[in-house]
């Protein structure tokens, strides 16, 4: 069957265009008004408020629901416009002079009707726990309190219903954080009005948040961006924790009588007549409990969707306070809050997000940001003189949000793409801010910047550079080539170049580097492109002929069974050879390695070739994995699977990306299990270098980012499978329940049928079995990872290559002496970093097995006092919520 | 979201040769795990594509890159500037639309589009000379896409393609020519017969494709 027809040219396009035209709908007057309201202030916010008011009044009869919805969209999707929407609503509270005032309903202003309707929408957000919308509505209400439209007392009560959440027993950090921000930010905006009626409210809210944050210290310790192995205190020089900044800003505002940093366009309007006007009194609300937290009570807890743990959030600072806002100050906090909300809201369109971010200054109090160079002098006298740099502020906030530990709230690539867009819109002003941010992060690498932050930093760097011609001034880092080879700065350079090469190609990246970085001793750029290394390629190498015989079968598309049969023969031949030469080689293992490498060789041309090779020879791979050359067991043989993984790692030793890809597909096709990859990674960390010249650079028993990525891929594969199985099971359970209900319903005689009469759903049993076996596998992968880390960091005396530095580097003295650290010290340090990250990022899963794992892994240390063991245990306890 | 347009909506692009009706197409697209990627350089490799698109993969949710199908010139079996990336989940395809479409790969701005799913034969260009239709009509000089439009500078194209021309000479069409990438996990059975995936017996060995020594028209090429 062919799809190819001649003369298709443009005809089809015409059809598409026609369809699009047809779908265009004519805008109704209500739609048009909604758009006018949403677009409020795109040219001149202050001037447009009255114009939009007029548009609203002109459309009669008013549709209150349409108007309220428009305000909702405005407030929850464009938080920077909230003060202006408050002003608009204030104007709509004016009752225009009417000749006939006999009709009582005419007395209720349009604004009041909208507000009452708006409130219902807010109530719905709270009921559905839509926290962002809830918080932004509170911003709006706070401005309305300042504009005298809402009663201060009722707003105080609203804020109190959020501080109550902080006192809930066992409240999750995510819930507490969001509730605290609602109360804090409402107070920040409306503080001066609120204190007039309720003087105690600031201290009440501050104390509630403070009491809560004091309970979060160990959590802060495990997610702070600077690793301090020797100390359990929180290091605050380079980053600020979100709730701490809210507290600091609140305290500053309290001291200044809530002289807020917010635009208040409504403050110039005449006062409403106190005789006739009664402010709206917000009804009381109750913040409902989290759905998931209720779910925990259900009997099938294990089957319910895993909830991500939330931790305190540290935002890195990259610039001094006179360049970018300090979030501990009220004005700085307000700016960052707006920008973070925008980054979050416009995630669906990064291009528009970038444009809106660059336009942000127009929504702020004049003088907040430095005017654009060459822009005409502002018409309005600046009210403040912060003069922050917009581009640096944007870079700092986007990067900080992208580097939050253990995970950023959006996928990391979103922030990367957003920075690319911001840079594209204004290359000459954003470029320098990007450069300074990179230099600042790079310099922090020497001060203990977290390993996961370093990993994301190098990923961002590579993708960013690939969008901007790989133009980086590498030569300024040449002096750092003197540092120890595993120093984080050198590790960063290696990794950044490796990642750049992956999205580009070797010669292109080589050209972008100064000569010094291409030197073999620099260990920055590998000496050759990342190609395969087929062990038996060279005719002079042992077993070349054996490999050729297998390759010939593959090339001739021999059936898998025939290859398996050939391997049997080959094994006998090799056995004879080996016994002649007297080498103590394991012949089964040798056959597996030759066969695996040969298969990878025919699949080496591209990812698709790899998939074709694997798929064509799945029975062969399964036979290899089962241990015997003849097919036997199905679960495979650990030793055999180790051989397959080792053969892969050595075949692609110059290409870490391909190692990860092949491992991923070997897991996908169920040749190896995630737990096999975990075990392999820990038992081979000291053997396989990414690049041969670097093999000797590796310290014994330590993990670098390469190994961490393999572990992460294996753990995520195991977790992903459980998630798929869980969803499938939930679906089948639902179907099953419905079927049962139907059977009961059909039974019209009134005699309820006994439960057995409903046939068991065989699919449900299969799904249950799959779920439990995958859950077991997930548990085993996690437990082996924990064991692996312990064997690296607290090695037993009998272990093969203990790193003597794993314990030595834990003292404060050693840390301050880190300029003298060599590769072993830095390797040990990095391994500690990955252990810490493993515990905190997989904490929701680890918690499920905390008791079992602790018994298996930590009980043996009972009674021993050793700083490494204590730290291992402490990190574990904090991550699993036991400390 | 009312204030801005989402970037992860399917565009006007539709498989122009697909015969399924529009509503069914929309239905397929709203669950699609496949992306069409356009404006690639002819020299971009699957591994480069894998690296970039893996940034949107979410294995913790059961996702990942299932397979990549490189678009090939029907006659020369060399990449001709497009590919399909197939994920395991729809959410990953949407994420690529939001975060990758419109950014650079191999120093070209690439375009992603939700696709109804790879169908046999779609890996080949549909232009008269074997590549993509757009390269037939192109007037500009584009070094990443074989230089001048296909009607001119044939020699120049051949020279520049040397780097990649070897890679896909073995590319086939017909059922089973393109690997699946690995399906969902399932309980491993003991019997060997059940282990074998459903490949038709004709798949192995006997469908080696010999490229015709003369070509009457693109249509004949496909029908043979």
């Amino acid at each position: 069957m062919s799809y190819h027809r001649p003369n298709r040219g443009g005809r089809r396009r015409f059809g598409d265009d026609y369809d699009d035209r047809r779908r265009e709908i004519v805008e109704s007057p209500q739609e048009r008004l909604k758009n006018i309201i949403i677009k409020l202030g795109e040219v001149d916010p202050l001037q447009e408020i009255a114009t939009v008011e007029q548009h609203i009044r002109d459309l009669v009869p008013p549709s209150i629901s349409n108007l309220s919805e428009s305000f909702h969209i405005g407030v929850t999707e464009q938080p920077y416009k909230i003060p202006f929407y408050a002003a608009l609503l204030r104007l709509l509270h004016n009752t225009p002079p009417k000749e006939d005032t006999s009709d009582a309903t005419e007395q209720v202003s349009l604004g009041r009707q909208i507000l009452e309707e708006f409130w219902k929408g807010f109530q719905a957000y709270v009921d559905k726990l839509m926290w962002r919308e809830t918080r932004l509505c509170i911003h709006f209400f706070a401005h309305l309190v300042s504009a005298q439209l809402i009663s201060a007392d009722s707003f105080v009560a609203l804020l109190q219903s959020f501080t109550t959440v902080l006192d809930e027993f066992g409240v999750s950090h995510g819930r507490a954080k969001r509730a605290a921000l609602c109360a804090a930010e409402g107070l920040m905006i409306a503080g001066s009005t609120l204190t007039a009626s309720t003087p105690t409210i600031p201290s009440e809210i501050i104390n509630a948040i403070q009491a809560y944050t004091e309970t979060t210290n160990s959590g802060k310790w495990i997610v702070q961006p600077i690793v301090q192995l020797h100390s359990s205190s929180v290091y605050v020089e380079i980053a600020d924790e979100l709730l701490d900044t809210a507290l600091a800003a609140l305290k500053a505002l309290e001291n200044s009588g809530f002289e807020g940093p917010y635009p208040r366009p409504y403050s110039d309007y005449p006062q409403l007549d106190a005789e006739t006007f009664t402010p709206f009194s917000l009804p009381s609300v109750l913040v409902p409990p989290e759905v998931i937290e209720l779910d925990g009570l259900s009997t099938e807890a294990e089957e319910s969707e895993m909830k991500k743990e939330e931790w305190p959030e540290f935002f890195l600072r990259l610039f001094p306070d006179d360049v970018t806002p300090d979030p501990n100050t009220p004005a700085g906090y307000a700016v960052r809050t707006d920008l973070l909300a925008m980054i979050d809201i416009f995630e669906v369109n990064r291009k528009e997000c970038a444009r809106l971010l660059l336009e942000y200054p127009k929504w702020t109090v004049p003088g907040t940001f430095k005017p654009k160079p060459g822009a005409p002098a502002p018409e309005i006298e600046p009210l403040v003189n912060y003069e922050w740099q917009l581009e640096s502020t944007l870079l700092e906030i986007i990067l900080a949000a992208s580097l939050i530990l253990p995970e950023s709230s959006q996928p990391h690539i979103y922030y990367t793409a957003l920075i690319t867009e911001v840079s594209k819109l204004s290359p000459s002003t954003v470029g320098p801010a990007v450069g300074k941010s990179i230099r600042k992060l790079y310099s922090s690498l020497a001060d203990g910047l977290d390993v996961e932050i370093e990993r994301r930093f190098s990923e961002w760097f590579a993708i960013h550079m690939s969008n901007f011609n790989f133009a980086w001034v590498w030569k300024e880092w040449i002096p750092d080539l003197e540092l120890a080879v595993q120093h984080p700065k050198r590790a960063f350079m290696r990794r950044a170049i490796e990642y750049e090469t992956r999205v580009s190609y070797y010669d292109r990246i080589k050209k972008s580097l100064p000569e010094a970085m291409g030197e073999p001793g620099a260990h920055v750029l590998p000496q050759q492109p990342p190609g395969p290394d087929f062990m038996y390629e060279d005719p002079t190498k042992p077993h070349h002929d054996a490999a050729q015989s297998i390759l010939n079968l593959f090339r001739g598309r021999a059936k898998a069974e025939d290859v398996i049969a050939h391997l049997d023969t080959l094994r006998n031949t090799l056995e004879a050879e080996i016994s002649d030469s007297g080498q103590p080689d394991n012949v089964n293992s040798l056959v597996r390695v030759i066969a695996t490498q040969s298969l990878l060789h025919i699949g080496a041309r591209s990812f698709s070739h790899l998939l074709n090779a694997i798929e064509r020879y799945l029975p062969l791979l399964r036979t290899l994995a089962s241990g015997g050359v003849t097919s036997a067991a199905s679960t495979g043989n650990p030793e055999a699977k180790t051989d397959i993984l080792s053969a892969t790692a050595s075949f692609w030793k110059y290409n870490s990306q391909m190692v990860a890809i092949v491992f991923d597909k070997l897991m996908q096709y169920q040749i190896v299990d995630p737990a096999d990859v975990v075990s392999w990674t820990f038992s081979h960390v000291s053997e396989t270098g990414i690049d041969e010249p670097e093999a000797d650079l590796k310290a014994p028993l330590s993990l670098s980012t390469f190994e961490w990525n393999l572990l992460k891929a294996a753990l995520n594969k195991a977790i992903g499978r459980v998630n798929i199985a869980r969803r499938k099971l939930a679906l089948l359970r639902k179907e099953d329940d419905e079927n049962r209900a139907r059977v009961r319903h059909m039974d019209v005689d009134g005699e309820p049928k006994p439960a057995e009469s409903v046939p068991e759903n065989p699919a449900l049993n299969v799904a249950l079995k799959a779920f439990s076996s995958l859950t077991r596998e997930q548990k085993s992968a996690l437990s082996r990872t924990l064991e692996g880390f312990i064997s690296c960091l607290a090695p037993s005396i009998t272990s093969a290559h203990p790193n003597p530095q794993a314990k030595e580097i834990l003292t404060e003295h050693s840390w301050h002496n880190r300029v003298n650290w060599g590769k072993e010290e830095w390797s040990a340090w990095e391994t500690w970093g990955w252990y810490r990250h493993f515990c905190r990022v997989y904490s929701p899963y680890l918690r499920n097995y905390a008791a079992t794992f602790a018994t298996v892994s930590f009980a043996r240390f009972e009674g021993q006092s050793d700083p490494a063991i204590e730290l291992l245990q402490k990190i574990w306890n904090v991550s699993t919520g036991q400390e | 979201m009312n204030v801005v347009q989402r970037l992860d909506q399917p565009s006007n692009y539709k498989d122009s040769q697909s015969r399924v009706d529009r509503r069914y197409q929309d239905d397929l697209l709203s669950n699609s795990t496949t992306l069409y990627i356009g404006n690639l350089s002819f020299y971009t490799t699957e591994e480069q594509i894998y690296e970039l698109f893996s940034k949107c993969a979410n294995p913790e949710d059961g996702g990942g890159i299932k397979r990549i199908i490189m678009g090939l010139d029907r006659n020369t079996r060399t990449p001709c500037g497009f590919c399909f990336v197939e994920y395991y989940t729809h959410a990953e395809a949407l994420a690529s639309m939001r975060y990758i479409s419109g950014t650079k790969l191999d120093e070209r701005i690439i375009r992603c589009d939700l696709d109804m799913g790879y169908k046999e034969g779609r890996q080949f260009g549909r232009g008269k000379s074997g590549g993509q239709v757009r390269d037939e009509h192109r007037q500009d000089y584009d070094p990443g896409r074989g230089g001048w439009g296909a009607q001119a500078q044939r020699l120049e194209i051949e020279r520049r393609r040397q780097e990649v021309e070897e890679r896909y000479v073995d590319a086939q069409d017909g059922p089973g020519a393109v690997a699946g990438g690995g399906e969902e996990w399932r309980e491993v059975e003991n019997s060997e017969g059940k282990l074998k995936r459903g490949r038709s017996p004709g798949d192995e060995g006997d469908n080696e494709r010999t490229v015709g020594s003369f070509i009457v028209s693109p249509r004949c090429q496909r029908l043979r």
Side-chain angles (χ1 to χ4, degrees):
Chain A
M1 64 171 194
S2 165
Y3 292 125
H4 280 267
R5 285 166 288 116
N7 308 324
R8 306 180 321 277
R11 206 189 41 178
R12 185 64 62 148
R13 275 236 63 82
F14 177 77
D16 279 355
D17 290 344
Y18 178 75
D19 279 1
D20 287 339
R21 211 169 42 212
R22 197 178 47 188
R23 270 182 298 176
E24 213 169 85
I25 317 148
V26 182
E27 218 178 31
S28 72
Q30 294 292 354
E31 280 290 317
R32 207 173 78 84
L33 182 60
K34 189 188 201 174
N35 284 329
I36 290 172
I37 297 172
I38 291 172
K39 293 207 163 79
L40 169 74
E42 310 252 295
V43 181
D44 184 334
L46 287 175
Q47 295 230 309
E48 284 170 43
I49 298 171
T51 328
V52 176
E53 182 206 359
Q54 202 49 54
H55 278 293
I56 294 173
R57 292 195 187 278
D58 286 348
L59 187 65
V60 282
S63 160
I64 299 301
S65 68
N66 185 54
L67 290 168
S68 159
E69 196 196 332
S70 307
F71 271 89
H72 267 289
I73 293 168
V75 166
T76 59
E77 296 186 11
Q78 304 175 98
Y80 40 91
K81 290 188 187 175
I82 287 174
F84 304 89
Y85 283 117
L88 176 62
L89 196 66
R90 163 64 192 79
L91 289 184
L92 290 168
H93 274 73
N94 292 337
T95 31
K98 287 248 169 152
E99 278 161 28
D100 174 26
T101 53
S102 57
D103 190 354
T105 56
E106 289 286 318
Q107 295 298 335
V108 181
S109 69
L110 202 48
R112 178 59 164 266
Q113 294 177 56
I114 296 170
L115 180 52
E116 282 174 7
E117 185 70 19
F118 187 97
W119 167 262
K120 293 178 197 159
F122 170 75
Q123 179 76 59
Y125 294 145
V126 177
D127 289 344
K128 288 187 233 155
L129 289 168
M130 295 165 72
W131 283 102
R132 185 178 71 207
E133 287 80 0
T134 300
R135 185 166 57 89
L136 296 175
C137 285
I138 289 176
H139 288 195
F140 184 54
F141 293 150
H143 279 285
L144 296 179
V145 170
S146 303
Q148 316 289 338
L149 300 181
I150 287 179
S151 88
D153 289 346
S154 71
F155 189 65
V156 164
L158 178 68
L159 299 186
Q160 283 165 333
S161 55
F162 285 91
T163 51
T164 312
V165 170
L166 298 174
D167 296 329
E168 289 171 3
F169 178 74
V171 62
S172 73
H173 183 75
R175 179 175 167 86
K177 174 187 76 184
R178 292 183 180 88
L181 294 180
C182 285
E185 290 168 14
L187 176 62
M188 286 181 202
I189 298 167
S192 63
T193 315
L194 298 186
T195 43
S197 67
T198 320
T200 55
I201 188 67
S203 56
E204 196 185 307
I205 289 178
I206 289 172
N207 291 341
I209 299 176
Q210 181 128 27
Y212 175 75
T213 58
E214 277 162 11
T215 67
T216 63
N217 275 331
S218 58
K220 285 182 189 168
W221 176 71
I222 201 119
V223 294
Q224 63 174 334
I226 294 290
V227 184
Q228 301 257 38
L229 296 174
H230 59 269
S231 149
S232 53
S233 60
V234 178
Y235 180 82
V236 288
E237 305 271 309
I238 189 178
D240 300 289
E241 202 283 321
L242 182 62
L243 284 183
D244 288 345
T245 56
L247 267 181
L250 268 183
K251 286 177 184 168
L253 279 168
E254 190 187 27
N255 292 333
S256 69
F258 289 93
E259 274 295 307
Y262 307 93
R264 297 187 194 274
Y266 45 79
S267 59
D268 301 336
Y269 299 161
Q271 291 272 315
L272 283 158
D273 184 359
E275 299 256 308
T276 57
F277 180 78
T278 334
F280 180 59
S281 184
L282 300 170
S284 64
V285 295
L286 190 74
V287 185
E290 304 286 323
V291 184
I292 300 283
E293 280 162 22
L294 280 179
D295 255 15
L297 303 171
S298 83
T299 45
E300 284 150 5
E302 214 181 24
E303 286 178 27
S304 65
E305 201 75 31
M306 192 62 70
K307 195 184 176 221
K308 281 277 171 187
E309 200 60 38
E310 288 191 66
W311 300 92
E313 283 172 49
F314 282 93
F315 288 80
L316 283 169
R317 285 296 303 282
L318 305 174
F319 294 92
D321 292 348
D322 57 336
V323 177
T324 62
D326 174 3
N328 293 296
T329 63
Y333 184 88
V335 164
R336 193 187 58 182
T337 304
D338 275 353
L339 293 174
L340 283 175
M342 292 169 73
I343 293 169
D344 204 27
I345 291 167
F346 297 115
E347 174 269 331
V348 296
N349 188 329
R350 60 178 205 274
K351 296 177 184 190
E352 288 293 299
C353 185
R355 182 180 64 78
L356 292 163
L357 289 173
L358 285 167
E359 282 177 9
Y360 175 67
K362 82 175 195 192
W363 305 104
T364 58
V365 178
T368 305
F369 289 97
K370 215 176 234 161
K372 269 186 210 156
E379 289 163 33
I380 321 154
E381 210 40 36
L383 298 172
V384 292
N385 61 346
Y386 306 124
E387 304 235 304
W388 290 312
Q389 252 177 30
L390 175 65
E391 291 81 1
S392 301
T393 306
L394 296 181
L395 252 291
E396 181 178 86
I397 290 176
I398 300 171
L399 278 173
S402 81
L403 297 174
I404 283 182
L405 296 173
E407 281 176 309
S408 52
S409 61
Q410 305 282 358
H412 187 244
I413 184 72
Y414 165 57
Y415 304 98
T416 304
L418 180 57
I419 293 174
T420 301
E421 297 303 329
V422 173
S423 306
K424 270 155 73 176
L425 285 178
S426 182
S428 61
T429 57
V430 180
V434 172
K436 284 177 197 158
S437 303
I438 290 173
R439 289 186 186 96
K440 174 67 185 179
L441 284 170
Y442 179 80
S443 78
S444 306
L445 291 171
D447 302 323
L449 194 67
D450 186 90
V451 289
E452 167 68 8
I453 293 184
E454 185 205 346
R455 188 191 66 77
R456 286 186 226 164
F457 172 32
S458 52
E459 282 199 357
W460 166 62
F461 180 91
I463 299 291
H464 186 82
M465 291 306 157
S466 85
N467 276 280
F468 295 95
N469 310 320
F470 297 102
W472 178 249
V473 257
W474 284 97
K475 68 171 190 301
E476 66 188 56
W477 292 341
I478 289 176
D480 292 334
L481 296 177
E482 303 294 316
L483 296 167
V485 73
Q486 286 295 359
H487 187 282
K489 285 185 171 177
R490 291 193 66 189
F492 171 81
M493 285 191 256
R494 261 201 305 281
R495 206 135 40 231
I497 284 168
E498 185 187 338
Y499 294 163
E500 280 192 351
T501 309
R502 287 185 189 182
V503 284
S504 183
Y505 51 96
Y506 181 79
D507 290 330
R508 173 72 182 90
I509 300 309
K510 191 176 182 178
K511 262 191 287 182
S512 72
L513 297 174
E515 217 165 287
M517 296 215 168
E519 303 281 324
H523 294 297
V524 177
L525 183 77
Q527 290 310 295
Q528 59 206 309
D533 186 45
F534 184 40
M535 230 186 262
Y536 311 101
E537 178 87 78
D538 185 344
T540 62
K541 285 271 174 75
H543 314 307
H544 168 82
D545 293 341
Q548 285 303 319
S549 68
I550 301 171
L551 279 178
N552 286 337
L553 288 174
F554 287 153
R555 288 188 185 126
R557 311 232 164 180
K559 291 206 163 70
E561 302 86 271
D562 296 342
V563 182
I564 294 169
H566 175 72
L567 292 184
D568 274 332
T569 328
L570 189 62
R571 191 181 49 165
N572 294 334
T573 325
L574 289 172
E575 210 150 40
E577 270 178 37
I578 285 170
S579 64
D580 287 350
S581 69
Q583 283 169 326
D585 239 350
N586 175 341
V587 78
N588 282 328
S589 175
L590 181 61
V591 169
R592 283 193 285 263
V593 172
I594 298 176
T596 306
Q597 283 232 338
S598 303
L599 190 67
L600 292 173
H601 185 67
I602 61 154
R605 279 179 179 179
S606 76
F607 174 57
S608 293
H609 283 87
L610 169 74
L611 296 184
N612 271 321
I614 294 179
E615 256 177 42
R616 189 175 293 273
Y617 290 106
L618 269 177
L620 167 66
L621 280 167
R622 294 208 174 97
T623 306
L624 291 178
S626 69
V629 177
T630 51
S631 58
S634 60
T635 45
N637 166 313
E639 196 190 318
K641 293 193 275 188
T642 298
D643 285 337
I644 293 175
L645 294 171
S646 294
T648 303
S650 92
F651 185 84
W652 284 114
K653 68 180 164 205
Y654 300 120
N655 190 329
S656 63
Q657 183 199 11
M658 283 308 300
V659 175
I661 291 177
V662 181
F663 280 18
D664 178 68
K665 285 302 175 187
L666 288 175
M667 289 190 282
Q668 192 69 42
Y669 286 103
Q670 292 176 253
I671 305 301
V672 299
D673 297 323
D676 297 319
V677 174
V678 171
S679 299
W680 182 89
T681 305
F682 279 107
S683 56
H684 292 77
V685 280
S686 48
E687 288 168 29
T688 50
I690 302 163
D691 188 359
E692 204 154 36
E694 281 172 30
D696 62 315
L697 303 176
K698 297 206 133 215
L701 287 181
S702 62
L703 262 86
S704 71
T705 310
F706 167 66
E707 285 87 9
W708 167 254
N709 283 336
L710 295 181
L711 288 178
K712 186 171 74 169
L715 293 171
N716 286 346
K717 184 73 79 187
I719 290 165
R721 283 177 180 169
V722 173
N723 284 332
I724 293 172
R726 175 182 291 125
R727 287 196 288 264
K728 209 176 266 174
L729 190 56
L731 200 72
L732 285 166
R733 275 202 197 286
K734 200 170 148 242
E735 267 173 31
D736 205 47
D737 288 348
E738 283 164 7
N739 283 342
R740 277 165 203 278
R742 203 164 32 237
V743 169
R744 248 176 268 129
H745 190 71
M746 275 155 49
D747 188 27
V748 281
D749 299 340
E751 282 291 305
K753 282 188 181 174
E756 306 88 73
S757 71
V758 183
E760 275 292 314
N761 181 355
L764 187 62
N765 280 333
V766 173
L768 260 172
K769 209 173 135 218
F771 180 75
S772 79
S773 89
L774 287 170
T775 307
R776 245 191 339 270
E777 198 179 287
Q778 170 188 284
K779 182 177 176 183
S780 143
L782 287 166
S783 130
R784 285 196 206 182
T785 310
L786 177 62
E787 270 302 299
F789 272 114
I790 291 175
S791 67
C792 284
L793 295 169
S796 61
I797 310 153
T798 53
S799 76
H801 307 283
N803 183 338
Q805 301 304 331
K807 196 191 304 183
E808 304 306 315
I809 59 161
L810 300 181
T811 65
E812 185 169 1
H813 174 263
S814 176
W815 175 245
H816 291 309
N817 189 35
R818 65 186 177 281
V819 286
N820 296 319
W821 279 10
K823 69 173 193 214
E824 286 190 358
E825 285 86 351
W826 281 116
S827 296
W829 184 84
E830 190 175 0
T831 309
W832 275 107
W834 288 124
Y835 171 65
R836 179 170 171 262
H837 186 59
F838 162 69
C839 290
R840 69 190 173 202
V841 78
Y842 291 109
S843 129
Y845 308 101
L846 295 173
R847 271 167 205 236
N848 276 352
Y849 311 117
T852 332
F853 286 6
T855 317
V856 172
S857 297
F858 292 112
R860 75 184 91 136
F861 299 124
E862 198 88 12
Q864 291 185 39
S865 106
D866 176 300
I869 293 164
E870 279 162 25
L871 187 60
L872 277 168
Q873 189 115 35
K874 183 179 156 83
I875 290 171
W876 170 261
N877 288 345
V878 170
S879 303
T880 53
Q882 301 175 75
E883 196 170 288
Chain B
M1 170 51 62
N2 298 273
V3 175
V4 300
Q5 281 255 309
R6 299 180 65 97
L7 289 178
D8 51 13
Q9 303 294 306
S11 81
N12 287 333
Y13 170 83
K14 294 279 145 71
D15 178 1
S16 57
Q17 292 170 11
S18 170
R19 302 204 175 157
V20 293
D21 75 60
R22 183 136 203 153
R23 191 177 307 164
Y24 184 55
Q25 285 194 35
D26 291 344
D27 208 43
L28 285 177
L29 290 177
S30 64
N31 293 300
S32 167
T33 58
T34 304
L35 294 166
Y36 167 91
I37 318 296
N39 198 35
L40 291 174
S41 152
F42 291 173
Y43 311 112
T44 298
T45 64
E46 293 181 29
E47 290 68 36
Q48 286 172 278
I49 296 164
Y50 189 105
E51 178 69 7
L52 185 61
F53 283 87
S54 68
K55 310 287 178 196
C56 290
N58 187 359
E60 214 177 331
D61 190 45
I65 293 184
K66 191 163 184 250
R67 58 180 174 170
I68 294 171
I69 298 157
M70 186 62 97
L72 298 178
D73 184 301
R74 183 160 26 88
N75 301 326
T76 61
R77 309 271 144 151
T78 56
C80 66
F82 75 96
C83 77
F84 298 97
V85 171
E86 187 174 339
Y87 287 104
Y88 285 98
T89 68
H90 178 55
E92 294 168 304
L94 291 183
S96 300
M97 295 284 287
R98 293 199 300 276
Y99 314 138
I100 293 183
S101 185
T103 69
K104 278 187 183 178
L105 176 59
D106 217 355
E107 309 189 56
R108 302 176 64 87
I109 292 185
I110 57 166
R111 181 179 70 97
C112 307
D113 229 314
L114 288 171
D115 191 89
M116 293 188 295
Y118 172 75
K119 287 271 175 345
E120 187 198 321
R122 285 188 65 200
Q123 76 266 44
F124 296 110
R126 292 162 174 172
K128 273 194 195 130
S129 50
Q132 284 198 281
V133 177
R134 54 168 284 198
D135 286 311
E136 296 285 322
H137 308 292
R138 203 155 45 72
Q139 301 287 319
D140 57 330
Y141 181 81
D142 187 343
R145 292 178 75 95
W148 300 104
Q151 310 297 336
Q153 302 287 329
R154 213 160 274 279
L155 281 175
E156 173 70 4
I157 295 166
E158 290 316 309
R159 196 186 64 75
R160 300 203 60 171
R161 276 187 188 166
Q162 278 190 357
E163 193 188 316
V164 290
E165 74 178 1
E166 285 297 302
R167 191 170 299 131
Y168 294 100
V169 285
D170 58 344
Q172 305 189 22
D173 47 19
V178 175
E183 298 307 316
E184 244 173 48
W185 181 90
R186 58 180 188 183
E187 198 78 56
V188 176
E189 307 278 344
N190 263 312
S191 139
E192 205 211 340
K194 285 187 186 167
L195 285 175
K196 216 176 156 212
R197 296 292 151 105
R199 292 176 63 89
S200 55
D203 281 2
E204 285 169 28
D206 57 359
N207 59 348
E208 189 81 56
R209 194 171 191 293
T210 42
V211 178
S213 52
F214 64 95
I215 293 157
V216 180
S217 77
R219 187 175 178 193
C220 293
Q221 170 82 5
R222 294 301 325 286
L223 282 172
R224 221 170 39 85

